[in-house]
């Protein structure tokens, strides 16, 4: 089956990035969200981000116009049903994702492949609630989607080979690289990355170093482009905590226990860049460490 039409559920940071790269690659994209202002913001963000690519000479003005013309929006989730491929990119909460797939099921075309952009939740478990577990996969893009080259492909226990082959071909058409992961908590990237961030939070919590010293140490001592606490703010502290909880619950190993300070920041609503405060305060001209 040749995939031509793509439905994206969720117009946030990940969803609009996914719509962006698919439209540029020639796919017709239908973007869904529960709020019209979210859809409007997503289209403005996509337009602005593609314009940056035009300014750098990576995309022609004609290609931008064609890509923007391929993206349409809807508030009605069932409208995505006839799509060849659906990518769920909603918040990292399993009950939310389950509800989305439950609502979509009566409207799906026979050929539709279902995928989730989840960064940690069991693909096998999500697939088991649908009528097509063999056509269900994890399709995990990295943030920011237009820039990052990797896509994790995660097969559930029932995923068939043709579905995997189709999605691997899609990744190649997007100009990205696929990494195949087995369906274990947090897959590959976040199984390694998020515990590192959690350990950085413990290092702060235990007073080993300040926010600034921890981030400087990893940037200059390990040649990381971004410090772990700065990166946590970029990802979203609520997302980091959700992934740590998936690891802790799924693997039952105390080394994955979320740091209490990470939990406290999330309880305070200090989620990072998206809420203007996290390990840094972003409300001024330059970010200022909060500890």
């Amino acid at each position: 089956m040749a995939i031509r039409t793509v439905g994206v559920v969720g117009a946030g940071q990940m969803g609009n990035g996914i719509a962006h790269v698919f439209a540029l690659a020639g796919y017709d994209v239908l973007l869904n969200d529960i709020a019209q202002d979210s859809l409007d913001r997503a289209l403005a963000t996509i337009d602005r981000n593609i314009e940056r690519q035009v300014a750098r000479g990576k995309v022609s003005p004609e290609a931008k116009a064609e890509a923007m013309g391929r993206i349409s929006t809807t508030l009605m989730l069932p409208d995505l049903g006839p799509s060849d491929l659906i990518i769920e990119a909603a918040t990292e909460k399993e009950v939310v994702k389950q509800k989305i797939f439950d609502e979509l099921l009566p409207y799906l075309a026979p050929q539709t492949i279902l995928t989730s952009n989840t960064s940690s939740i069991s693909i096998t478990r999500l697939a088991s609630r649908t009528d097509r577990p063999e056509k269900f996969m994890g399709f995990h893009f990295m943030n920011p989607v237009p820039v990052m080259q990797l896509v994790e492909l995660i097969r559930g226990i029932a995923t068939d080979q043709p579905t995997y082959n189709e999605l691997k071909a899609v990744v190649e058409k997007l100009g990205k690289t696929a990494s195949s992961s087995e369906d274990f908590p947090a897959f590959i990237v976040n199984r390694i990355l998020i515990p590192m961030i959690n350990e950085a939070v413990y290092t702060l919590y235990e007073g080993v170093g300040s926010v600034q010293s921890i981030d400087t140490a990893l940037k200059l001592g390990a040649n990381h482009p971004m410090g772990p606490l700065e990166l946590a703010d970029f990802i979203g502290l609520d997302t980091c905590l959700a992934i740590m909880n998936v690891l802790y619950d799924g693997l039952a190993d105390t080394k994955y226990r979320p740091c209490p300070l990470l939990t406290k920041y999330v309880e305070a609503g200090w989620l990072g860049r998206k809420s203007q405060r996290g390990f840094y305060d972003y409300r001024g001209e330059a970010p200022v460490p909060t500890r």
Side-chain angles (χ1 to χ4, degrees):
M1 185 192 80
I3 292 173
R4 296 184 180 87
T5 58
V6 179
V8 180
V9 184
Q13 192 173 37
M14 295 304 295
N16 75 60
I18 292 167
H20 172 152
V21 298
F22 270 90
L24 270 181
Y27 295 94
D28 291 324
V29 179
L30 181 56
L31 182 60
N32 163 262
D33 203 279
I34 58 174
Q36 186 60 49
D37 62 337
S38 296
L39 293 171
D40 295 340
R41 281 197 304 271
L43 288 176
T45 299
I46 295 167
D47 187 272
R48 186 169 61 250
N49 288 342
I50 300 180
E51 186 57 38
R52 287 198 188 105
Q53 293 176 296
V54 172
R56 293 174 187 145
K58 294 184 176 181
V59 173
S60 70
E62 294 78 17
K64 177 194 170 184
E66 290 172 4
M68 293 304 299
R70 293 188 192 104
I71 303 173
S72 53
T73 63
T74 180
L75 294 170
M76 305 300 293
L77 187 61
D79 290 349
L80 274 59
S83 304
D84 297 325
L85 168 64
I86 294 177
I87 304 167
E88 172 274 312
T91 186
E92 191 69 357
K93 293 180 180 177
E94 187 165 351
V95 291
V96 173
K97 296 178 186 297
Q98 287 174 343
K99 185 177 178 182
I100 287 167
F101 290 121
D102 288 347
E103 189 175 338
L104 276 169
L105 282 182
Y107 305 97
L108 297 178
Q111 81 278 5
T112 301
I113 293 174
L114 291 176
T115 67
S116 175
N117 184 56
T118 178
S119 52
S120 61
I121 296 167
S122 169
I123 298 304
T124 297
R125 196 162 61 240
L126 288 174
S128 71
R129 293 176 61 96
T130 75
D131 63 350
R132 59 195 67 203
E134 72 286 350
K135 286 182 164 297
F136 194 111
M137 275 190 67
F139 207 27
H140 181 215
F141 289 81
M142 306 296 121
N143 184 36
V145 179
V147 175
M148 302 296 278
Q149 290 300 301
L150 184 73
V151 181
E152 281 186 316
L153 295 180
I154 305 102
R155 278 179 277 208
I157 196 169
T159 306
D160 63 25
Q161 192 63 36
T163 299
Y164 174 82
N165 293 342
E166 282 286 348
L167 292 187
K168 191 168 186 297
V170 168
V171 173
E172 291 169 0
K173 187 174 177 181
L174 295 176
K176 296 188 181 295
T177 300
S179 173
S180 297
S181 170
E182 295 301 317
D183 184 23
F184 289 98
F187 319 130
I188 295 172
V189 173
N190 285 324
R191 171 78 176 262
I192 298 167
L193 176 64
I194 302 300
M196 182 200 76
I197 288 173
N198 193 55
E199 193 61 31
V201 183
Y202 266 115
T203 305
L204 178 66
Y205 176 61
E206 294 168 2
V208 179
S210 66
V211 168
Q212 195 68 58
S213 62
I214 291 166
D215 277 350
T216 299
L218 268 293
K219 284 191 281 190
L220 301 184
N223 206 28
H224 290 188
M226 192 181 291
L229 301 176
E230 183 185 3
L231 180 58
D233 276 358
F234 181 75
I235 294 168
L237 303 193
D238 52 339
T239 300
C240 293
L241 179 59
I243 295 169
M244 284 307 302
N245 280 322
V246 167
L247 283 164
Y248 190 46
D249 294 342
L251 298 171
D253 192 322
T254 56
K255 72 180 180 179
Y256 297 117
R257 183 171 69 96
C259 179
L261 184 60
L262 177 60
T263 301
K264 191 62 64 182
Y265 268 63
V266 172
E267 287 175 345
W270 291 19
L271 309 180
R273 286 183 177 269
K274 62 187 173 185
S275 66
Q276 295 295 296
R277 279 194 290 186
F279 292 112
Y280 293 85
D281 189 325
Y282 300 92
R283 294 173 296 174
E285 290 186 10
V288 177
T290 53
R291 290 179 80 88

